[in-house]
């Protein structure tokens, strides 16, 4: 017993060694083959898959590897930690591969990270674990006592599910000298036992004979099975039933309905009466035969009891016995071939698939691995796979019955964010059967789109004097990406306005793109602001785009007109804006021109002139748009010599703003007459003595001021001389020209050219004198009188005049200054400055 067990384990070790050698040779071809004996306990070692496939255990654990399960019984398990393939349950070769000489189980191992499938074949070798067995433990034969010696009778065969030497090898008969055993080999090599009558029977001597039929296999140790045979000796029956054919063959499709008659057998018996009655039965009984077929005892017809399946078994062999009433019998073999029908649709299984893929994945990236099979055979089992619809994927045939689905081009999530890829499998049957599998694939976003503004450029109008924080406009940008990559934030580009940072004027809300004014704008200072707004997404790296924004400041009527001429009256001035108009002037003659400007723009700066008040309403008129004061008619003798005109200057804003200018027009033919009129108006009722007293006080005050001026001038000269010793002289563009000779109009300086006349007056106009200044241009300082010349108003002539004319006006000097300056309408006018 111990020797037998050691021999059994030695064969197993040799089988495992062969398994390892075969696996090493075929690992290079992506296919592994192992061989293990049957009846191994659960968890038994089959092969080292990780070693044979040259896979690292760490990578195997990280990427994941598993046995594919397509709805079939799983016989093996892969240990991820060790990479070993082990049995998942006890394997019984006779149960797994019935009637198959070579028992091979196949499985597939998929490595998830690599999207690769490896086929594994495991051959289950037979061990002698089954003893031969007979279908019936006890059989009864009936023989006539007249049966001739040498007659043969078929016996039931023993069955041994093992293969090779472990299967049935021999029969032995024991128990009686009247019988012997003959073993015949059939066409298929199967051994068929026959009982041979060796000696004539005598019923009167022995009515029954007990025999034992023993079947033995070739295993070590050998296993046996027995059947008891009881032979009943009958009276004479001369003829045995005879079948019309020794072998019956029939082909039926697998979809033949249950209950159909497949074949009718016929056996005849020449005897009469009970010896001629034939009954049919199956002698070669198996569980499959009894479940699927039925032989009618009376008619010999074979009916289908259970549906056929070509994929389960494509052929069956039955032995039918015809026995008469006298105990004689005959046997016939029935061969039933099952033809395939296209009754199985292709089975499409998703072995491995990705649920999401990045849109920047390269073309050819494998997203799924599918397995297809059809249980039918021939053309019915030929499967063609295809993709349904226009999708950016392609189907490629992989190892064996595997197909891979890969990208045909780069994906764009902004075009399609999700795909439902339908893989369809169709067989070659008629009609064709189909099946399909749907792959749901979500495309992950990549930051490949910069924000896009709704408009190519933006512009807005903002009224000046706006409130701080006022909303100017809102810029909008959209990003075609998704999630954080589509989150847009706004900010201002760097810039400056009038030397100040742009951020001190406007700001943009980062989330909404709203542009706000941070200060109140003044159209007269800033009329337009140009800036750039940047939209930046939240990707890594971030993408951005810029848009130009033009902010136009709209003018409001917030500046009243400003009168440049006539100038406003200074404190203490007697006259201002005095104009001379000859009494002989024609209607329409130019008397003066009111010059005004408005700092606003557009309609708010359009000025109109209107004569609001006049001493003689009908004598003068004012140009509506020019501001020119002209005579409306010729002056008359009854018209007063001096007229006061009030001119209103209005702009066109809403509401309109205005300013007034006052002009004094004197009607006179000469300067002397003009001065006489002005002199009479200066002090009409003051006596000469009082006037002389005031003149003396004025001369004293002027002398004191002059001495103070000389001292100040001397101090300045000394200071300048000291500074010139310390610092180099500075150059000036207009040295020596007083700043008072420049007048500013809206930021523009105009240079005044003045011409002066000096006139000496007394109460008697005959003694009055006039002389031109030595230097008549005011771009130099007025020349001081020569020391050898006495002032005519303070010398002897003046004294004589005082003695001759008690009402004389001593020391009265009148300067006439004519100024030419540029004005908007290129009109030249003159004005007078009168000094006491």
């Amino acid at each position: 017993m111990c020797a037998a067990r050691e021999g059994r384990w030695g064969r197993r070790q040799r089988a495992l060694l062969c398994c390892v050698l075969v696996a090493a040779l075929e690992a290079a071809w992506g296919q592994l083959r192992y061989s293990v004996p049957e009846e191994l306990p659960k968890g038994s070692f089959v092969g080292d898959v990780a070693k044979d496939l040259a896979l690292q255990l760490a990578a195997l654990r990280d990427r994941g590897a598993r046995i594919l399960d397509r709805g079939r019984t799983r016989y093996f398990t892969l240990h991820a930690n060790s990479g070993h393939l082990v049995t998942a349950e006890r394997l019984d070769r006779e149960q797994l591969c019935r009637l198959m000489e070579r028992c091979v189980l196949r499985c597939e191992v998929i490595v998830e990270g690599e999207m690769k499938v490896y086929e594994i074949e495991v051959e289950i070798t037979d061990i002698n674990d089954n003893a031969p067995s007979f279908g019936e433990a006890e059989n009864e034969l009936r023989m006539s006592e007249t049966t001739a010696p040498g007659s043969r009778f078929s016996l039931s065969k023993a069955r041994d599910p093992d293969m090779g030497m472990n299967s049935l090898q021999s029969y032995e008969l024991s128990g009686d000298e009247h019988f012997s055993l003959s073993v015949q080999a059939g066409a298929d090599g199967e051994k068929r036992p026959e009982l041979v009558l060796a000696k004539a029977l005598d019923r009167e001597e022995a009515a029954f004979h007990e025999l034992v039929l023993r079947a033995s296999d070739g295993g070590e140790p050998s296993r046996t099975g027995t059947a008891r045979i009881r032979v009943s000796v009958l009276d004479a029956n001369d003829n045995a039933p005879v079948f019309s054919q020794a072998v019956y063959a029939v082909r039926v499709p697998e979809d033949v309905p249950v209950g159909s008659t497949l074949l009718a057998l016929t056996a005849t018996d020449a005897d009469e009466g009970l010896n001629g009655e034939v009954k049919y039965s199956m002698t070669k009984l198996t569980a499959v035969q009894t479940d699927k077929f039925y032989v009618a005892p009376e008619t010999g017809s074979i009916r289908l009891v259970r549906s056929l399946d070509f994929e389960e078994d494509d052929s069956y062999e039955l032995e039918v016995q015809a026995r008469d009433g006298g105990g004689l019998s005959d046997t016939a073999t029935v061969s039933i071939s099952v033809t395939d029908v296209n009754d199985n649709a292709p089975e499409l299984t998703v072995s491995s698939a990705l649920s999401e893929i990045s849109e920047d994945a390269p073309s050819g990236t494998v997203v799924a691995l599918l397995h297809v099979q059809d249980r039918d055979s021939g053309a019915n089992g030929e499967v063609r796979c295809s993709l349904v619809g226009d999708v950016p994927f392609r189907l490629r045939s992989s190892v064996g019955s595997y197909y891979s689905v890969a990208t045909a081009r780069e994906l764009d999530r902004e075009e399609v964010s999700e795909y439902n890829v339908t893989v369809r499998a169709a067989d070659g049957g008629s009609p064709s059967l189909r099946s399909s599998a749907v792959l749901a694939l979500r495309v992950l976003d990549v930051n490949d789109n910069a924000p896009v503004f709704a408009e190519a450029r933006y512009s807005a109008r903002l009224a000046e004097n706006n409130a701080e924080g006022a909303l100017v406009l809102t810029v909008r940008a959209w990003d075609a990406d998704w999630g954080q990559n589509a989150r847009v934030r706004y900010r201002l580009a760097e810039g400056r306005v009038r030397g100040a940072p742009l951020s001190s004027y406007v700001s943009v809300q980062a989330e909404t793109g709203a542009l706000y004014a941070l200060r109140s704008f003044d159209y007269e200072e800033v009329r337009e602001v140009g800036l750039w707004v940047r939209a930046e997404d939240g990707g890594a790296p971030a993408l951005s785009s810029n848009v130009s924004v033009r902010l136009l400041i709209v003018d409001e009527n917030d500046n009243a007109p400003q009168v440049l001429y006539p100038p406003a009256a200074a404190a203490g001035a007697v006259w201002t804006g005095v104009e001379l108009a000859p009494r002989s002037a024609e209607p329409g003659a130019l008397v003066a021109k009111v010059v005004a400007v408005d700092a606003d723009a557009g309609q708010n700066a359009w000025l109109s002139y209107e004569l609001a008040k006049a001493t003689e309403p009908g004598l003068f008129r004012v140009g509506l748009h020019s501001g020119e004061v002209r005579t409306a008619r010729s002056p008359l003798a009854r018209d007063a010599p001096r007229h006061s005109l009030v001119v209103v200057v209005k702009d066109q804003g809403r509401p309109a703003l205005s300013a007034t200018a006052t002009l004094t027009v004197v009607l006179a033919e000469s300067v002397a007459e003009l001065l006489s009129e002005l002199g009479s108006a200066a002090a009409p009722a003051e006596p000469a003595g009082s006037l002389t007293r005031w003149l003396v006080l004025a001369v004293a005050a002027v002398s004191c001021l002059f001495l103070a001026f000389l001292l100040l001038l001397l101090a300045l000269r000394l200071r300048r001389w000291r500074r010139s010793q310390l610092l180099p002289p500075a150059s000036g563009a207009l040295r020596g020209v007083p700043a008072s000779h420049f007048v500013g109009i809206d930021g523009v300086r105009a240079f005044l050219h003045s011409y002066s006349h000096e006139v000496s007056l007394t109460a008697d106009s005959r003694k009055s004198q006039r002389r031109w200044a030595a230097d008549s241009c005011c771009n130099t300082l007025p020349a001081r009188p020569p020391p050898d010349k006495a002032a005519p108003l303070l010398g002897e002539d003046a004294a004589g005049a005082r003695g001759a004319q008690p009402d004389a006006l001593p020391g009265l000097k009148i300067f006439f200054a004519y100024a030419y300056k540029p004005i908007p309408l290129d009109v030249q006018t003159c004005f007078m400055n009168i000094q006491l």
Side-chain angles (χ1 to χ4, degrees), residues 254 256-259 287-288 290-293 303-309 312:
E254 62 176 328
V256 63
V258 175
V288 175
T290 56
D291 288 345
K292 292 186 179 294
F293 306 102
R303 292 199 306 267
L304 183 64
V305 179
R306 190 176 175 184
S307 60
L308 301 175
D309 189 352
E312 181 179 326

Side-chain angles (χ1 to χ4, degrees), residues 143 145 201-209 232-235:
M143 297 183 185
E145 61 180 344
L201 298 176
D202 186 354
R203 187 176 185 280
E204 288 71 23
E205 181 182 345
F208 300 97
H209 296 271
S232 300
V233 181
L234 304 176
D235 286 335

Side-chain angles (χ1 to χ4, degrees), residues 789-812:
K789 293 184 181 180
L793 292 180
L794 300 178
E796 296 83 8
D797 294 340
R802 284 196 298 270
Q805 298 291 338
D807 297 332
L809 301 176
L812 177 63

Side-chain angles (χ1 to χ4, degrees), residues 667-688:
L667 299 177
E669 293 295 337
S670 64
V671 176
E673 187 179 352
L674 170 64
L675 296 178
S676 177
E677 176 62 28
L678 294 178
S680 61
E686 190 173 8

Side-chain angles (χ1 to χ4, degrees), residues 51-345:
K51 179 180 178 181
D52 296 336
L53 294 179
L55 297 176
Q56 298 294 330
L57 290 179
L60 194 65
R61 287 191 294 268
D62 295 339
R63 298 176 182 176
R66 58 185 174 88
I67 301 291
L68 288 177
D69 183 7
R70 297 196 297 273
R72 299 177 298 182
T73 304
R74 180 177 293 183
Y75 299 108
F76 304 99
T77 300
L78 182 64
H79 286 173
N81 293 330
S82 62
H84 292 172
L85 185 69
V86 298
T87 58
E89 61 180 25
R90 187 182 63 85
L91 302 178
D92 187 354
R93 183 188 181 283
E94 290 72 34
Q95 182 181 357
L96 297 175
C97 306
R98 185 177 59 86
L99 301 179
M100 296 179 64
E101 182 177 355
R102 186 168 181 264
C103 183
V104 176
L105 298 181
R106 293 177 175 84
C107 64
E108 292 88 15
V109 174
I110 183 170
V111 180
E112 297 287 357
E114 298 180 358
M115 280 288 180
K116 290 184 178 179
V117 175
Y118 300 93
E119 292 186 354
I120 299 178
E121 291 186 358
V122 180
E123 181 179 0
I124 309 301
T125 59
D126 183 55
I127 65 174
N128 191 23
D129 57 341
N130 292 281
S133 62
F134 292 91
E136 296 179 359
E138 293 186 1
N139 297 315
E140 184 178 357
L141 294 177
R142 293 182 179 183
M143 297 183 185
S144 174
E145 61 180 344
T146 60
T147 302
S151 299
R152 294 174 179 269
F153 300 89
S154 297
L155 300 176
S156 59
K157 294 182 292 185
R159 297 291 175 184
D160 191 335
D162 293 329
M163 299 297 293
M165 292 300 296
N166 295 327
S167 64
L168 179 64
Q169 298 295 324
S170 63
Y171 290 95
E172 293 179 2
L173 184 65
S174 61
D176 199 317
E177 60 181 2
H178 288 82
F179 300 93
S180 64
L181 181 65
S182 175
V183 180
Q184 303 293 329
D188 55 356
E190 189 177 16
K191 295 179 174 59
R192 298 178 180 179
E194 293 181 350
L195 185 64
V196 180
L197 182 61
K199 183 179 179 181
L201 298 176
D202 186 354
R203 187 176 185 280
E204 288 71 23
E205 181 182 345
F208 300 97
H209 296 271
E210 298 290 340
L211 306 175
V212 176
L213 180 61
R214 179 179 289 106
S216 302
D217 60 22
E220 294 182 8
S222 176
R223 292 177 178 267
T224 61
T226 59
R228 305 182 72 83
I229 302 173
R230 185 178 187 185
V231 180
S232 300
V233 181
L234 304 176
D235 286 335
N237 182 17
D238 299 336
N239 298 287
V242 178
F243 280 100
S244 60
Q245 296 177 219
V247 178
Y248 291 86
V250 64
R251 296 174 63 88
V252 294
E254 62 176 328
D255 60 350
V256 63
V258 175
S260 301
T261 299
L262 305 182
L263 182 65
L265 304 181
T266 303
T268 60
D269 194 320
D271 293 328
E272 294 181 355
L274 183 62
N275 294 330
E277 294 180 1
V278 180
K279 293 186 179 297
Y280 302 90
S281 63
M282 286 189 294
T283 60
K284 188 178 180 181
L285 295 177
T286 63
V288 175
Q289 294 169 353
T290 56
D291 288 345
K292 292 186 179 294
F293 306 102
Y294 172 74
V295 177
E298 304 297 334
T299 62
S301 61
I302 300 176
R303 292 199 306 267
L304 183 64
V305 179
R306 190 176 175 184
S307 60
L308 301 175
D309 189 352
F310 175 84
E311 289 71 36
E312 181 179 326
D313 208 338
D314 59 352
S315 64
Y316 300 90
E317 188 174 291
L318 309 177
E319 281 192 2
V320 180
Q321 185 182 67
R323 184 184 296 273
D324 60 19
L328 299 181
S329 63
D330 190 14
T331 59
T333 301
V334 179
S335 178
I336 301 175
S337 299
V338 182
T339 60
D340 184 44
V341 175
N342 191 25
D343 58 344
N344 292 283

